Amino acid sequence: MRDLLTILAVARSRWSWMVAGVLLGVAVVAANAMLMAVSGWFITSMAVAGLSKVSFNYFVPAATIRALAIGRTVGRYLERLVTHGAAFRILAELRLWLFCKLVPLSPGLLERYASGELAGRLRSDIDSLETLYLRIIAPLATGVITISVATLVVAFWSKTAAIVLFMGLAVPGFILPLFARWLAEAHGRESTALTGALRTAVTDGISGKAELLLLGAVEKHAATVDDLSARLIFEQDRLAAVSAGNLAALLLSAGAGAAALLLVCTAQVNAGALTGPQLVMLLLFSAALFEAAGGMPAAMQLLPAAAASAGRITELTAAALPVAEPLLPQVLPTGFALSLQDVSFSYAGDNQVLSGFNLELPQGARVALTGDSGSGKSTVAEILLRFRDYQGSITLGGRELKTLAADDLRLLIAALPQKPHIFNTTIRENLRLARPEASAAEIAAVVYDAVLDEWIARLPDGLDTRVGEGGSAVSGGEARRIAVARTLLKDAPLVILDEPTEGLDAGTEQKLLERIDCRLQGKSLLVITHRPAPLAIVDRVVRMGAETGRNRL
């Protein structure tokens, strides 16, 4: 329940929409109940007046019936409009909130989750919470208010009838919902967990389809998906059975309640406490109230699944930040000399990646990090970008990195990650991510420096060519150079390039390095590479674990 309260707190700016939707729902139920009541009283009164040959003014009740019919129709439309509008606005708030919560967790925490799992939590689990207001909160609130007010209204004519009505409505309004929640608890949570697992398995299977085909593991993976699907269908069947049972119990309780009310009211008619038209009015009024109570068992049945989705979301958002922000960040330095002293870092467990690592990068200098895979080269870049925490001391311009706000620090660094992401948009928009206000001339300059100019000139749409999901519509070398161009466009004083020439042929690699060498004159440069060619543009080479000097070639 705490997870659901957290979700509702995020959507508090939409409470006016939620309250309006509930009030409109109550108004619609009230209009329908009053329409039934007035219609029954009117027809019965007309019959009694005809038998007794007494004059009867039918204009007012007839007009009231028309007004209630129109009000019910308009109210139903407005109620649907407002409640769905509230649900969509809540989803928009939750998506933005979750995305903003996830960004600081990358990559230190999010790498523990499969991409399909994260996508599911960001999209499907959030979307499933549409039911939280639309099919859980609104029906429950509408039902409770309607039952309470209706009981008081009936008590105006007959306190005994009001007690009987309340007892009749308590079964579908309170007892059945609690029973439905108990029955659906395990199945709802298991259904949510299996949905996430199935989504992850399908996403991983599609992403790794080539490997599955090469290894002959397609049938095995398909069997896993089929097993998850069968288990999910089993849980959904159980939930459907609970829903069917609730509906049958609702109809039974409605019939029993109406019968009990008829017996009580008939006795009061015989005693002269009620008239015949009033009997019909109360019966039809009470029968219409079961519409409000009817949605409450279904709402409680959906509650466990919604709580499970909320729990999966808050599990991420409640996680501690992998890198703590300073309480009082210092201003950014004016100098950019970088110094790492006795820096250590380890992943979960005893996997020590860096131990007592030292590095000096004077302002304007160029250093290359080389070494075997797993020696911690890329980890150094992630530490400098404050994606991971560290032990020891790292200063930039004399300021300890831990005293600087991470977002402010990253303004001073242009970085090419080891596995850069290419967004599913145009080449131009991929580049503008680094500097949205960049001019056409500035974009053309980085396109040239990244050795993309001739290739882009041959494209029918030029810079407006779409690159596909993850750069799937371009080659690996072209995607790498798009990422290099994006990094260069940022124009920061400290540049980190992790494997800038990976996947390039020798000729393209040489051109790229020459143009990078020219463009980055005067800037501090840290190159991470296992290839020999990039070493030609640096002043010094540091092999992880043993520092050696090297003159610039």
Side-chain angles (χ1 to χ4, degrees):
M1 188 59 67
R2 181 180 300 176
D3 297 327
L4 291 175
L5 293 177
T6 300
I7 297 298
L8 289 176
V10 174
R12 60 183 177 272
S13 62
R14 305 299 181 182
W15 282 3
S16 59
W17 281 81
M18 290 189 277
V19 171
V22 171
L23 294 179
L24 282 169
V26 172
V28 169
V29 175
N32 185 56
M34 292 174 63
L35 176 62
M36 296 290 291
V38 174
S39 298
W41 174 86
F42 178 55
I43 294 172
T44 309
S45 296
M46 288 286 289
V48 171
L51 291 174
S52 58
K53 302 183 185 299
V54 177
S55 62
F56 181 79
N57 182 2
Y58 62 87
F59 292 105
V60 173
T64 302
I65 291 172
R66 292 189 181 93
L68 288 172
I70 295 172
R72 181 183 64 174
T73 303
V74 174
R76 180 65 72 187
Y77 171 77
L78 292 176
E79 184 260 344
R80 290 288 188 265
L81 184 67
V82 172
T83 53
H84 283 77
F88 293 145
R89 284 169 171 80
I90 291 171
L91 292 182
E93 292 279 354
L94 291 178
R95 289 191 189 101
L96 180 60
W97 168 75
L98 180 57
F99 179 78
C100 292
K101 287 286 188 179
L102 290 181
V103 169
L105 301 178
S106 176
L109 180 66
L110 297 188
E111 62 189 8
R112 304 175 190 174
Y113 298 89
S115 58
E117 176 75 2
L118 284 175
R121 297 193 188 203
L122 182 58
R123 185 181 63 186
S124 299
D125 279 328
I126 287 288
D127 288 348
S128 68
L129 290 178
E130 176 186 354
T131 62
L132 180 60
Y133 171 73
L134 197 60
R135 299 177 64 187
I136 298 176
I137 294 176
L140 289 175
T142 300
V144 170
I145 295 173
T146 302
I147 291 173
S148 303
V149 174
T151 302
L152 295 176
V153 170
V154 173
F156 178 79
W157 278 278
S158 171
K159 292 182 175 58
T160 304
I163 294 173
V164 173
L165 174 63
F166 182 80
M167 293 176 62
L169 291 175
V171 174
F174 302 109
I175 298 175
L176 279 180
L178 294 176
F179 188 60
R181 185 183 186 282
W182 178 72
L183 289 176
E185 179 80 28
H187 299 301
R189 293 187 178 277
E190 184 66 14
S191 176
T192 300
L194 287 172
T195 299
L198 179 61
R199 187 184 303 112
T200 300
V202 171
T203 303
D204 288 346
I206 294 174
S207 300
K209 58 184 181 299
E211 286 76 7
L212 292 176
L213 288 169
L214 291 173
L215 297 173
V218 174
E219 292 185 1
K220 180 180 179 181
H221 191 78
T224 300
V225 172
D226 185 57
D227 176 66
L228 289 171
S229 180
R231 291 166 59 192
L232 178 59
I233 291 173
F234 175 82
E235 298 298 336
Q236 290 174 336
D237 282 343
R238 293 300 175 271
L239 290 174
V242 172
S243 179
N246 285 334
L247 181 59
L250 173 64
L251 295 174
L252 180 62
S253 62
L261 191 64
L262 176 61
L263 291 175
V264 170
C265 291
T266 300
Q268 291 192 329
V269 170
N270 294 332
L274 290 175
T275 65
Q278 289 175 342
L279 166 65
V280 176
M281 176 187 70
L282 292 178
L283 286 175
L284 293 179
F285 179 79
S286 302
L289 293 176
F290 281 92
E291 174 192 355
M296 298 176 73
M300 291 298 287
Q301 180 182 335
L302 293 172
L303 189 60
S309 292
R312 284 162 53 86
I313 292 169
T314 55
E315 177 189 346
L316 290 174
T317 60
L321 294 176
V323 177
E325 286 285 328
L327 295 178
L328 296 173
Q330 295 188 14
V331 297
L332 293 176
T334 55
F336 308 110
L338 184 65
S339 175
L340 288 76
Q341 299 294 328
D342 295 322
V343 174
S344 298
F345 173 81
S346 61
Y347 292 100
D350 298 326
N351 186 11
Q352 189 80 17
V353 179
L354 297 176
S355 179
F357 179 71
N358 299 294
L359 177 67
E360 298 292 336
L361 181 62
Q363 182 169 336
R366 300 180 176 185
V367 173
L369 295 181
T370 64
D372 297 333
S373 296
S375 59
K377 304 186 298 296
S378 296
T379 302
V380 171
E382 293 179 350
I383 288 175
L384 294 177
L385 291 166
R386 298 297 286 141
F387 289 153
R388 303 189 187 276
D389 213 343
Y390 62 91
Q391 295 177 331
S393 174
I394 302 179
T395 60
L396 180 66
R399 305 274 172 82
E400 180 67 35
L401 253 60
K402 292 182 178 180
T403 66
L404 303 176
D407 288 341
D408 293 341
L409 171 65
R410 294 181 194 119
L411 295 176
L412 305 178
I413 304 175
L416 172 71
Q418 186 178 32
K419 297 179 180 179
H421 182 75
I422 304 300
F423 292 84
N424 186 14
T425 183
T426 64
I427 299 173
R428 187 192 309 277
E429 291 305 312
N430 266 283
L431 298 180
R432 284 187 181 275
L433 287 172
R435 191 146 54 94
E437 73 281 4
S439 65
E442 290 170 329
I443 292 178
V446 296
V447 164
Y448 172 80
D449 290 335
V451 198
L452 290 167
D453 50 328
E454 296 181 2
W455 170 64
I456 290 178
R458 294 194 298 269
L459 297 174
D461 296 326
L463 286 169
D464 295 319
T465 301
R466 301 190 68 87
V467 297
E469 179 71 26
S472 59
V474 298
S475 71
E478 290 158 354
R480 170 70 60 171
R481 282 178 285 152
I482 291 173
V484 170
R486 184 169 62 196
T487 303
L488 298 177
L489 186 60
K490 187 174 181 180
D491 195 26
L494 173 59
V495 180
I496 300 175
L497 301 178
D498 194 343
E499 303 291 1
T501 61
E502 183 72 22
L504 304 185
D505 61 81
T508 304
E509 179 182 47
Q510 186 62 35
K511 285 183 180 181
L512 178 65
L513 292 173
E514 290 175 356
R515 296 178 186 181
I516 289 178
D517 184 22
C518 180
R519 183 180 183 88
L520 298 184
Q521 290 296 322
K523 297 182 182 294
S524 302
L525 174 62
L526 180 65
V527 178
I528 299 169
T529 183
H530 69 278
R531 296 166 68 108
L535 305 183
I537 66 171
V538 302
D539 307 315
R540 189 161 51 95
V541 176
V542 175
R543 181 171 180 81
M544 297 297 289
E547 187 174 341
T548 60
R550 179 181 176 90
N551 294 325
R552 186 174 179 182
L553 299 178

